[in-house]
Amino acid sequence: MPDLLELANRHKHDLVFIALSTDRDVETIERFFKKLPEDVQDIIDADNVIFAHDPRLEISKGEFGTNMYPESFIIDKDMNIIKKISGVIDWLGEDARQMIFQAGDAK
């Protein structure tokens, strides 16, 4: 997640980062945030970073059909899912930049 937050930080006006936690309790999420590097913790409060809690999996499974964690979705400005990524990728690398650029969300 630090790379995704850094990506959101680099593209404050072009990207919105939405993180959906399926942890059962908020305390687990808060502990996770506290373990992040300090510079990343500052990004958590950015206007283009949104965190949501989905302990009953109503959104992650019900809406997105998520069955593997982590899963990421690139969604365009019209709310269409452009790409679903299962597993970890280098979000700061060229491949990710190209996927996002093709979605029209960032340059």
Side-chain angles (χ1 to χ4, degrees):
M1 183 179 341
D3 283 354
L4 284 167
L5 289 167
E6 177 57 34
L7 186 64
N9 189 49
R10 290 181 185 181
H11 299 281
K12 293 177 186 173
H13 304 290
D14 301 319
L15 292 176
V16 175
F17 172 70
I18 302 170
L20 186 62
S21 172
T22 58
D23 291 300
R24 292 191 178 161
D25 58 76
V26 175
E27 291 79 19
T28 302
I29 300 166
E30 290 171 353
R31 281 194 304 273
F32 174 77
F33 286 157
K34 287 179 183 175
K35 291 179 183 177
L36 293 172
E38 262 185 62
D39 58 328
V40 174
Q41 288 182 22
D42 292 339
I43 300 169
I44 290 171
D45 294 325
D47 290 340
N48 66 326
V49 175
I50 301 166
F51 286 95
H53 190 209
D54 184 30
R56 288 181 270 180
L57 310 176
E58 294 168 347
I59 300 169
S60 59
K61 283 198 181 227
E63 297 295 322
F64 289 104
T66 297
N67 56 20
M68 179 181 172
Y69 300 100
E71 277 191 345
S72 303
F73 298 86
I74 296 176
I75 301 171
D76 69 12
K77 59 186 170 194
D78 296 320
M79 303 305 290
N80 299 305
I81 296 174
I82 302 300
K83 180 88 173 162
K84 177 179 179 177
I85 300 122
S86 295
V88 177
I89 70 166
D90 177 9
W91 285 105
L92 300 176
E94 183 61 25
D95 289 343
R97 193 190 76 73
Q98 286 295 324
M99 281 189 289
I100 293 166
F101 178 76
Q102 290 171 356
D105 291 330
K107 297 178 178 142

